[in-house]
Amino acid sequence: MLVWLNQAGWRAAVAAQPQHEAALLQWAAQDWPAVVRRMDANVDADVVCLGLPLPPDANGRKVRLALSARLDDVAKVSRAVVLRSTVRSSGAWRGRLSALCDEAEASDLRVFGSLAMQALTGLQYVSPTSDVDLLFQPVCRRQLDDGVALLARHAQHLPLDGEIVFPGGGAVSWKEWRLAMTHPAKVLVKEMHTVRLADTASLLATLAPQPMLEML
């Protein structure tokens, strides 16, 4: 999830982290978004926790700023970036990502991480060691199975990583899920307030039994 702060929100962020004033003022001036992260413990109900990943420095060092903002200081919220919108910024991956997008029309693939930030800001985030971090939100078992199979095929040619987001918001690594369906095991579920282990059956139970169009 992406969050755009208003000017009061950026002023509060600078006041909280003056050592990163230059970067925060650049984000505010360019109206670039921050990224929602897992909630810190004991934060007020009207606070959202955010991350701001800066581009790697000359030595490849990555700095991620941990921010928080009052809901009153949130100007806009959006889902993660649509994968197809990042293809133009994807460099050497462009051809193979286009092929993935063509085949994934029904899957509504989203992207986060380095590729998303590079597309949003125009700054250099992607490196030869970067992954393509995808978000995939199936609503039924068939979409889940088809989507995981699709990612596995394209992962032979692309450094695909990322998560399946189940109804309710719990996210599971699609690679871990694929392995658990072959060799039954619990999977790590990331949620806004916690991380927990869950069996695959409990997550499958959150999906619709069949595609919505077939239910009409």
Side-chain angles (χ1 to χ4, degrees), residues 166-180:
F166 286 86
V172 177
S173 160
W174 70 266
K175 292 179 179 176
E176 183 182 355
W177 178 266
R178 182 169 180 247
L179 187 62

Side-chain angles (χ1 to χ4, degrees), residues 38-56:
R38 186 167 300 110
M39 297 294 286
D40 293 334
N42 303 318
V43 296
D44 294 339
D46 65 341
V47 169
V48 60
C49 292
L50 304 171
L52 199 161
L54 301 182

